[in-house]
Amino acid sequence: MKDLERSELIAIDGGYAKMPPWVRGGLWFGVLCSIAENWSDIKSGIVDGWNDAMKEK
């Protein structure tokens, strides 16, 4: 068995192998803040999609 080289690891893992926990937490915090700020638009889009889907039946 032979160790994988850096280019092979990037091809398999899809880039950076590990992110620091604070980066991951920051990304999730950003996503959640964005959802919270736009919740009314998201909710109305879900309701509109649901209503349109129910009309097609």
Side-chain angles (χ1 to χ4, degrees):
M1 230 182 200
K2 172 180 133 180
D3 288 339
L4 296 175
E5 294 187 18
R6 183 172 171 23
S7 62
E8 294 170 322
L9 287 172
I10 289 173
I12 292 169
D13 290 337
Y16 300 105
K18 296 225 176 195
M19 279 192 279
W22 63 270
V23 172
R24 241 181 313 166
L27 291 174
W28 279 112
F29 181 73
V31 168
L32 292 175
C33 285
S34 177
I35 289 172
E37 288 175 2
N38 298 308
W39 180 245
S40 62
D41 293 335
I42 293 170
K43 189 170 75 170
S44 68
I46 291 170
V47 169
D48 290 344
W50 179 266
N51 289 337
D52 289 345
M54 290 297 120
K55 287 180 185 175
E56 292 181 6
K57 285 186 173 185

